[in-house]
Amino acid sequence: SFQTRFQRRWETHPVATSAAVGFGAWALAVLLYFSWVLMLPENRYRWLDFVVQCRDPFCRTLNETILYYRIAVPAFAYLLRIPPHAAFAIQYIALVWTLALAFWLVAKKTAPATGLWFALGLALTYMVACVNARPGLPDSVTHLAAAFCMAPIAPGAYVPLVFIGALNDERMLLALPFVLFWKFPDLLENKT
């Protein structure tokens, strides 16, 4: 059966399986939600501001002032000298990695089939659809930082991950309680 073959593949190649699931879930979201109409210049939500920020992360002549504080991805592109139009790829790469990591985390805790359904379900949410359809919205970098916080990492890695996630989008702070409950599921259990 598919479930048995998928289980064996997961056991022998967990990283490759996670990457394939992440890419496949993202491809499903592209197939179902992506619209080329959104790529027309008049529909590009934050495209121009993102390009300007990739040239100068501290630019203050943006259309949306909230972007003054969302500088993680533009700063990363600027420091690595990634051309502004190529920097759009960062949001999609982070999206695939987030889906792959979400699959891996759930598959490790439950079963690979559950992780697959979780990743496919996650790919159909606004979290993925919005980033897919709107170039210049690198929210997926924040989602990736939150997912890494849920992975088994060294304690010293939390601070830079939260810092990067928060400099990219304030929703990183909303993700922290969920990270805590993932890491410590008995946190609120009454032990009296």
Side-chain angles (χ1 to χ4, degrees):
S1 76
F2 171 76
Q3 191 168 350
T4 306
R5 289 193 317 270
F6 190 66
Q7 176 78 31
R8 275 197 303 254
R9 172 118 175 108
W10 161 252
E11 290 168 356
T12 56
H13 306 290
V15 174
T17 304
S18 298
V21 167
F23 187 79
W26 176 70
L28 175 67
V30 169
L31 178 70
L32 295 177
Y33 288 118
F34 190 76
S35 171
W36 288 104
V37 173
L38 294 171
M39 299 301 282
L40 297 173
E42 60 269 12
N43 294 328
R44 294 181 190 159
Y45 183 51
R46 291 186 176 161
W47 180 289
L48 296 176
D49 282 344
F50 184 78
V51 170
V52 168
Q53 278 188 299
C54 287
R55 290 190 186 114
D56 178 10
F58 299 107
C59 177
R60 294 296 180 250
T61 58
L62 303 173
N63 294 322
E64 290 190 54
T65 56
I66 195 170
L67 298 180
Y68 293 167
Y69 310 104
R70 294 182 178 178
I71 63 168
V73 174
F76 180 72
Y78 178 78
L79 291 172
L80 293 180
R81 306 264 191 258
I82 299 172
H85 287 86
F88 285 109
I90 294 169
Q91 78 186 56
Y92 300 109
I93 292 168
L95 195 53
V96 171
W97 284 3
T98 301
L99 291 167
L101 190 53
F103 162 76
W104 185 80
L105 288 166
V106 173
K108 288 284 266 188
K109 213 167 224 196
T110 59
T114 305
L116 175 64
W117 285 114
F118 181 77
L120 291 174
L122 198 59
L124 301 178
T125 66
Y126 186 74
M127 179 191 98
V128 176
C130 181
V131 174
N132 258 349
R134 304 283 188 191
L137 278 179
D139 297 358
S140 54
V141 172
T142 298
H143 303 313
L144 182 60
F148 269 122
C149 284
M150 294 192 316
I153 58 173
Y158 290 104
V159 172
L161 284 170
V162 170
F163 184 72
I164 289 168
L167 275 180
N168 188 62
D169 191 350
E170 69 278 357
R171 283 176 280 194
M172 180 66 186
L173 302 177
L174 296 174
L176 292 179
F178 297 103
V179 170
L180 283 173
F181 286 125
W182 180 267
K183 291 288 211 178
F184 308 103
D186 300 328
L187 193 63
L188 294 179
E189 192 173 289
N190 189 356
K191 299 200 183 339
T192 60

